[in-house]
Amino acid sequence: MTAQAEIGAAPRPYTLIAELTYRCPLRCPYCSNPTNLAAHDGELSTEEWSRVLGEAEALGVVQVHFTGGEPLARKDLEPLVSRARELGLYTNLVTSGVPLTKERLAGLVERGIDHVQVSIQSARPERADAIAGYSAHPHKIEVMRWVTELGIPLTMNVVLHRENLDEIDELVALAEDVGASRLELANTQYVAWALKNRDALLPTKEQLDRAAVTAARHKARLQGKMDVLFVKPDYFGTTPKACMDGWARRFVHIIPDGRVLPCHAATSIPQLTFDSVKERSLADIWTSSKALLAYRGEAWMPEPCKSCDRRNVDFGGCRCQAFALTGDASATDPACQLSPHHRLIEEARLRAAQPDVPRRWVYRGR
Amino acid sequence: MSAKVDERVETPGDVPLEPSARSLEPSPSFVPRLAKKARLRHDRHSGGWMIIYPERGLTLNESAAEIVKRCDGTRTVAQIAAEIVRAIDGQEVDPAQVERDVVELVGELARKGLLER
């Protein structure tokens, strides 16, 4: 589909990210949930989510991620999984594993869960619990084994930062040991809680380069057996990420209270008012919500994006990061070396590289 | 005929690393079976076929779909190619080219981890 064809009609979303709840037992200091959690309540009901799943499929969605927070905190996850599978959606569960029992997992498998992702904070138990702010590591390992024993494809997710970036070999060994078919090693994105903790989380350039080489070696070794992804942090690059593959383009993101976002972090941009599936249909919101139209396509782009050869590649980068760092959500992502604000990224990197910078974590609230 | 696939639903931000080239090239006697994590799905919106797997999807063109439908663990690469030559009977096809297409697509699926090991 060309950009031209998308001007009149909304693009087709392929993936629904369903954040069922912001409740979570873990308190990871890089949590992607909003930093003002107390201001979010009024979760969608089972009936509302069921309706929305149908509306998403009708829009073209083929894959759904049940996530959060901790999606298992919702007692109605089971009927929602059944509903998603009735619709033929490829159904992912993204979980901390913490509240899961083997019986509940077996029940979810029976209802047709296609794939389970379990987050691991570190390969080392004590460090893992220190990062999560909660003692859960041994149980998480057990949960991963149950998933593979039940024959369900497993992704082990790890958010990488200064404290665990030197563990690539151990993390890969753990993923192989529990039988994961996919290992996602994703460096922290510095929005939401992670931005508050940036000095404590930003790695050194040397750490990052070493980790990237190690991950590449394992990726080649495990090709065809385990899919190893290594997602570099944009703070060390020269071009921004193609954040969400473009604003409200391929992904539709619904937060616990029913508002429809282009990504998990967009409520951090106060100028945007997001529409809720409690009031309008998903199709109506996807095609005409002012907040989704705000940065869809290219019309909003300033220079240097507007005339850039990469504008169809990285879509101007991350709007939330642009807002968080410059106060202007329509600015070029400062991660781009062509951004007039790129020095903000360089300064943050230099600051975090100083040995005496304070590195105390602010844990995510509840 | 060409059996190309397009990757349409990608994980944002993954850094593609150099695949180890042709190490997973299948032989004509290889019996491919789609991996458990991958689901072949008819797409009512486009009328075509897709393979859906964790966080990704591939849209298949018509000839790729004919090949993938036969990756069920009961046929060799050579048998899949022969079946496809028979199925498009009447048009001019080069059986050797069809087999090369099947080998290429099956190899690509293997490299993506979409076949049972």
Side-chain angles (χ1 to χ4, degrees):
Chain A
M1 196 188 294
T2 64
Q4 196 65 35
E6 291 187 8
I7 289 171
R12 171 178 175 179
Y14 285 84
T15 301
L16 167 64
I17 300 173
E19 283 186 333
L20 298 179
T21 179
Y22 283 142
R23 288 173 281 154
C24 185
L26 304 191
R27 302 175 60 214
C28 308
Y30 45 74
C31 183
S32 62
N33 286 172
T35 49
N36 59 340
L37 284 166
H40 295 266
D41 54 8
E43 291 180 6
L44 289 184
S45 67
T46 315
E47 293 67 34
E48 283 166 325
W49 273 118
S50 295
R51 188 199 91 214
V52 167
L53 287 167
E55 291 177 349
E57 194 280 333
L59 265 179
V61 162
V62 294
Q63 178 139 197
V64 60
H65 296 254
F66 289 120
T67 182
E70 171 50 67
L72 291 159
R74 292 271 308 215
K75 293 194 169 57
D76 59 355
L77 180 62
E78 281 77 1
L80 296 179
V81 168
S82 295
R83 169 75 172 143
R85 283 306 312 266
E86 279 162 23
L87 292 161
L89 300 176
Y90 193 96
T91 306
N92 301 274
L93 173 64
V94 186
T95 177
S96 70
V98 172
L100 198 53
T101 61
K102 200 171 183 178
E103 291 66 38
R104 191 167 185 200
L105 178 63
L108 289 165
V109 170
E110 216 161 281
R111 287 169 184 264
I113 277 279
D114 286 292
H115 170 230
V116 176
Q117 308 197 18
V118 178
S119 64
I120 292 294
Q121 281 66 30
S122 161
R124 302 177 195 176
E126 278 174 30
R127 186 181 284 170
D129 289 348
I131 295 169
Y134 190 89
S135 179
H137 188 72
H139 183 66
K140 284 163 167 282
I141 308 289
E142 205 177 1
V143 166
M144 291 197 290
R145 291 193 201 285
W146 295 339
V147 173
T148 49
E149 274 167 30
L150 288 166
I152 299 301
L154 169 74
T155 290
M156 183 174 120
N157 284 335
V158 190
V159 175
L160 297 175
H161 46 79
R162 184 179 199 94
E163 295 302 318
N164 63 7
L165 197 53
D166 299 327
E167 293 181 15
I168 302 297
D169 283 324
E170 294 160 75
L171 290 164
V172 172
L174 176 59
E176 285 187 85
D177 185 46
V178 297
S181 62
R182 193 162 163 276
L183 171 62
E184 191 172 314
L185 300 166
N187 276 276
T188 305
Q189 276 295 107
Y190 294 97
V191 293
W193 292 91
L195 185 57
K196 282 184 188 285
N197 286 296
R198 193 171 58 178
D199 287 342
L201 294 171
L202 263 177
T204 65
K205 176 84 166 56
E206 294 67 38
Q207 263 188 308
L208 181 67
D209 289 346
R210 212 165 39 232
V213 168
T214 308
R217 180 164 49 77
H218 288 296
K219 186 183 178 105
R221 177 176 68 81
L222 292 165
Q223 193 185 36
K225 297 192 190 80
M226 187 201 294
D227 197 8
V228 179
L229 287 90
F230 185 81
V231 182
K232 288 186 174 174
D234 53 7
Y235 269 59
F236 291 83
T238 53
T239 54
K241 274 187 197 312
C243 194
M244 300 313 286
D245 218 3
W247 181 274
R249 182 166 169 266
R250 299 285 188 229
F251 293 85
V252 54
H253 194 110
I254 304 183
I255 60 174
D257 67 12
R259 281 179 289 165
V260 180
L261 274 50
C263 70
H264 55 79
T267 53
S268 66
I269 303 173
Q271 292 81 1
L272 296 177
T273 304
F274 293 97
D275 294 288
S276 170
V277 294
K278 286 178 181 170
E279 279 127 36
R280 296 168 64 186
S281 76
L282 184 59
D284 185 25
I285 294 172
W286 182 253
T287 51
S288 65
S289 160
K290 283 201 179 104
L292 298 188
L293 293 174
Y295 303 113
R296 180 181 278 163
E298 298 176 8
W300 61 274
M301 284 183 182
E303 291 293 0
C305 297
K306 191 157 58 173
S307 59
C308 182
D309 288 346
R310 286 181 52 88
R311 68 184 185 280
N312 285 323
V313 177
D314 58 38
F315 308 100
C318 172
R319 297 302 86 226
C320 303
Q321 178 154 284
F323 175 76
L325 297 185
T326 75
D328 176 5
S330 63
T332 294
D333 185 339
C336 180
Q337 64 179 349
L338 301 175
S339 158
H341 300 286
H342 188 57
R343 61 170 177 79
L344 296 171
I345 298 279
E346 292 170 330
E347 283 166 11
R349 228 167 42 205
L350 287 173
R351 187 182 144 81
Q354 288 166 15
D356 54 348
V357 70
R359 296 187 211 278
R360 273 195 45 221
W361 290 338
V362 180
Y363 283 102
R364 180 203 131 125
R366 291 216 168 93
Chain B
M1 162 171 150
S2 157
K4 290 283 178 231
V5 290
D6 304 313
E7 195 138 356
R8 294 294 294 276
V9 192
E10 293 188 14
T11 309
D14 179 29
V15 180
L17 299 166
E18 203 56 45
S20 52
R22 308 182 75 80
S23 61
L24 296 171
E25 187 91 340
S27 72
S29 62
F30 177 67
V31 180
R33 179 204 287 269
L34 212 54
K36 195 171 185 322
K37 71 175 174 187
R39 184 134 52 91
L40 182 64
R41 181 191 203 266
H42 184 256
D43 180 26
R44 71 182 177 99
H45 301 281
S46 65
W49 290 81
M50 303 176 86
I51 302 178
I52 322 278
Y53 57 109
E55 304 223 351
R56 305 253 172 136
L58 295 176
T59 58
L60 304 174
N61 69 18
E62 218 174 299
S63 44
E66 288 308 311
I67 295 169
V68 175
K69 282 178 201 169
R70 291 173 170 83
C71 293
D72 60 358
T74 69
R75 303 159 165 90
T76 65
V77 162
Q79 284 167 337
I80 292 172
E83 275 186 34
I84 286 172
V85 170
R86 279 199 299 278
I88 47 182
D89 190 28
Q91 298 168 45
E92 269 198 31
V93 287
D94 172 9
Q97 182 58 46
V98 172
E99 187 163 308
R100 280 195 294 275
D101 286 343
V102 176
V103 165
E104 191 185 327
L105 179 63
V106 169
E108 189 176 341
L109 295 176
R111 282 189 290 276
K112 289 181 184 297
L114 295 177
L115 298 180
E116 288 297 337
R117 317 163 227 160

